[in-house]
Amino acid sequence: MNIKKSIVLRVRIVFLLVCLFACAILYKIVQIQVLDGTKWKQISKERRIRYQPVPATRGNIYSDNESILATSLPFYRVAFDPAIAQAETFNTGIDSLAMLLSRFYKDQSPEHYRRKIKNARHAGRRYIRLNSRQINYQEKKMMANWPIFRAGKNKGGVIFEKVEKRFKPFGMLAERTIGFINEDKNGAGLEFSFNGDLAGTDGEALFERIAGGNKPIYDGTEVAPQNGYDIKTTIDINLQDVAENALYKALVEKNADYGCVILMEVKTGEIKAMANLGKTKGGYIEDYNYAVGNQGRTEPGSTFKLASMMALFEHTNLGLADTVDAGDGRYRIKNTTMTDVKIGGYGKISVQDVFEKSSNIGVAKLIQENFGDNQQAFVDYLHKFGLSSTLGFQMDGEARPYIKNTSDKTWYGTTLTSMSIGYEMKLAPLQTLALYNAVANNGVKVQPIIVKEIRRADQVVQTFQTRVLNERIASEETIKKVRTMLEGVIQNGTAKNLRSADYKIAGKTGTARKVKDGKYVRLYSTSFAGYFPADNPKYSCIVIIDSPRGVNVYGGDVAAPVFKEVADKAYARDLAMHQPLRARVVPNKDSLPQVKAGSLEDLSLIMNRIGVSNHSTATNDDEWVRVTPQMRSLKFEPNPVRGGQVPDVTGMTLRDALFILGNQHLKVSVEGTGKRVVKQSVQAGTEINKETKITIVLS
């Protein structure tokens, strides 16, 4: 009996404790929901609502003639606040809206969209993404007139989330030079190096974090983003295309590992072409900037003999007709043997012949005889020529040159002679080219540049002028001697295949053995560096072909022909190099601007600001117009862009054309250079399908 009473007592105690615990929970619920409800709702709202950045539109990258190399085109994702619309607006429009969404996206039935939106409205959700597919600007304008959506974002609940895509009209052309930047702000090329200017300044707006994503709140506190600046490069699209094609053919023919071409204006240092191609499983692509970066920094080989000869002429009274005994083609230095290409050697030859025939022994003997007792003096001349310093190039990633000093632990008894022929040191191709460019420029060494201006629209924010790095790298007499030698290489030496009846070329071939696992192997880095026309230099150029395979793998056989093709094309299209400039035609001040087509708003604004009379038959709903001159005024006529049809973009600027065609989901390719579209491959008004491609021609 006592046991029974004990058990009942324990059960009652447990029951009482459970009841007390339940009451405590109930009290806490009432306290949170009712007594402190306002407080917790406010805290929840503060945590859900926060300021987030609104991305700025990235600036454009232009070529030297203002052809667009990279631009940003706007696209949108469609989201919806189903709870914001009034009941009458929602109920009368939901069926039509669901049907239009189904027809447009073609992925779900109207019932699916209707149920999705209604369920979200009943659940009080303030944000749903209707579809992950991105739409273009024309589609956005069309959707904005759909039921419910037409009431706008504040009364209809439609949310068009802007997404920008980077577009390169010329495809792979100069891809690595243009570069990229990823979400982590890492990248390469101009996009990365000038990101601070191109990116602009992000704005800020309130966003509410809710199920399905972040919904923007437009409460008047938002800060508009400041769009990025545009940059104008020195790149010539035509010459860039020539350089890449010539390089590509040589790489394929010789099954080489990689190659690069740099073409630069002698006086200004402006880079007109910079091509970089590396071998991948799929072929050759612009995978790295070998012209500037560490992976392209190699032992220059015989192209460095120019610096060695300059040091000799600066240090001695040596003349081009003086002689040196190159012997039988073998030269013993300490415990190593240096050889020449010619079997049996060159014997006793002139200094001019030493350079033209690229005699390793001839150069090494001259350097050893004149600098053997003061080896640091030779190194000091290399410093004077600027070969041990970076150029301060505008793009990030310039390799640091490596020039040994006599105090280095790796300076051996053979180092002086090895350096004299381009070994035991490393230079990037651009750094070697800068030396040749200085010789072409009568001893004035200028800094290479690839960006000329930073602009906002037509307003120039910053200009980059030609900067002189060294007023005179060597005496006038030395420059005259080495220029004679460089011309002799083409006339009588290792690059006779470059001779032209139309103009003179000056330059030097290079063939340097590659190092693998600490040993020199039978793979070569071949090169040719020079300038043209030799008597009045306009351009300097360097070509590198790394690890060519097969027969004839020397610089004169592999790299020199690429130089010749680039030089021929540059010479052919630059009339100033081979005939007098035509007299300039004085413009007629009464003539009208050569405007063909464009945005009504932009053209009206521009014409009004410059004082050109204009009138329009277009309405405010007509965004695009064609322009017809009438007497001394311009007439704007509608140029409608209809969904599903190819628009007429002739006469427009490249950017406007890309904007319109991209919004029509057309695959676009660009031919020619210039500021305006003169021809399109698909006739305006043609129905668009998934396979429609269009080519636009610039002039």
Side-chain angles (χ1 to χ4, degrees), residues 23 51 138 160 219 286 301 312 336 347 359 425 432 446 503 527 552 563 600 605 615:
C23 290
Y51 280 98
Q138 295 298 326
F160 293 109
D219 64 346
E286 287 227 354
L312 279 169
T336 63
S359 170
M425 66 177 68
T432 300
V446 297
Y503 64 100
S527 58
N552 298 327
F563 181 102
L600 173 61
L605 178 64
H615 59 282

Side-chain angles (χ1 to χ4, degrees), residues 386-644:
L387 291 171
S388 58
S389 304
T390 58
L391 298 167
F393 191 50
Q394 291 169 306
M395 288 170 59
D396 286 4
E398 181 187 355
R400 181 166 291 280
Y402 172 60
I403 300 290
K404 280 188 180 181
N405 275 297
T406 54
S407 58
D408 292 353
K409 293 180 179 180
T410 56
W411 188 279
Y412 304 114
T414 58
T415 296
L416 177 66
T417 50
S418 291
M419 287 182 65
S420 71
I421 61 172
Y423 289 93
E424 295 193 46
M425 66 177 68
K426 288 187 177 182
L427 295 174
L430 184 62
Q431 293 156 357
T432 300
L433 178 61
L435 175 67
Y436 278 77
N437 193 82
V439 170
N441 200 24
N442 295 317
V444 181
K445 189 172 185 178
V446 297
Q447 183 184 52
I449 62 172
I450 197 168
V451 172
K452 201 169 184 179
E453 293 176 352
I454 297 176
R455 305 185 311 194
R456 186 182 293 282
D458 291 330
Q459 180 184 0
V460 177
V461 177
Q462 185 177 359
T463 301
F464 298 95
Q465 303 288 352
T466 300
R467 181 185 166 206
V468 176
L469 298 177
N470 191 334
E471 289 285 356
R472 180 158 292 283
I473 63 170
S475 68
E476 185 176 345
E477 184 179 357
T478 293
I479 296 298
K480 187 180 296 185
K481 287 178 181 178
V482 294
R483 286 184 66 163
T484 300
M485 295 169 69
L486 288 166
E487 290 183 42
V489 171
I490 283 76
Q491 296 302 315
N492 310 300
T494 56
K496 288 186 286 187
N497 54 331
L498 266 66
R499 282 186 293 191
S500 171
D502 298 318
Y503 64 100
K504 288 184 179 180
I505 294 174
K508 181 72 183 74
T509 57
T511 308
R513 291 183 70 175
K514 301 279 291 181
V515 176
K516 285 196 174 182
D517 300 325
K519 296 181 179 179
Y520 285 103
V521 296
R522 293 205 170 275
L523 284 175
Y524 303 93
S525 175
T526 66
S527 58
F528 186 90
Y531 52 86
F532 61 95
D535 47 359
N536 184 23
K538 174 69 180 291
Y539 296 108
S540 62
C541 181
I542 188 169
V543 177
I544 307 290
I545 306 288
D546 189 84
S547 302
R549 294 166 177 85
V551 297
N552 298 327
V553 291
Y554 297 104
D557 303 310
V558 181
V562 177
F563 181 102
K564 181 65 161 52
E565 184 173 346
V566 173
D568 282 348
K569 297 289 176 61
Y571 179 82
R573 65 186 300 272
D574 192 338
L575 299 180
M577 283 197 284
H578 46 85
Q579 70 180 36
L581 287 170
R582 296 177 181 176
R584 287 188 176 180
V585 178
V586 179
N588 180 1
K589 293 184 179 180
D590 293 330
S591 63
L592 294 169
Q594 297 298 308
V595 182
K596 302 294 184 182
S599 164
L600 173 61
E601 182 180 356
D602 292 345
L603 292 178
S604 297
L605 178 64
I606 293 169
M607 294 306 118
N608 289 336
R609 284 190 176 181
I610 64 176
V612 175
S613 176
N614 62 89
H615 59 282
S616 175
T617 60
T619 66
N620 291 334
D621 293 330
D622 295 316
E623 184 174 0
W624 304 97
V625 294
R626 305 206 67 77
V627 183
T628 304
Q630 290 188 342
M631 300 296 288
R632 295 188 178 182
S633 68
L634 297 178
K635 181 182 179 181
F636 301 149
E637 299 174 314
N639 183 20
V641 177
R642 298 183 176 89

Side-chain angles (χ1 to χ4, degrees), residues 82-154:
I84 203 169
Q86 295 293 328
E88 183 179 355
T89 302
F90 184 86
N91 292 331
T92 57
I94 183 59
D95 290 337
S96 298
L97 177 61
M99 180 186 67
L100 289 169
L101 288 169
S102 176
R103 288 180 178 176
F104 179 79
Y105 287 116
K106 298 178 181 178
D107 61 340
Q108 300 289 350
S109 66
E111 177 60 24
H112 170 87
Y113 280 106
R114 189 178 69 83
R115 187 168 58 250
K116 178 179 180 178
I117 295 171
K118 276 197 167 186
N119 288 343
R121 181 178 173 89
H122 292 154
R125 292 177 62 186
R126 302 303 305 271
Y127 177 95
I128 58 171
R129 184 169 288 168
L130 294 177
N131 198 289
S132 59
R133 175 184 144 190
Q134 295 174 10
I135 64 171
N136 60 41
Y137 179 72
Q138 295 298 326
E139 291 167 338
K140 170 182 174 286
K141 287 182 66 177
M142 175 185 69
M143 281 189 171
N145 292 314
W146 285 1
I148 305 180
F149 286 3
R150 67 171 64 103
K153 62 175 181 274
N154 294 325

Side-chain angles (χ1 to χ4, degrees), residues 311-323:
L312 279 169
F313 293 143
E314 288 289 279
H315 194 66
T316 69
N317 294 320
L318 197 67
L320 298 181
D322 291 338
T323 60

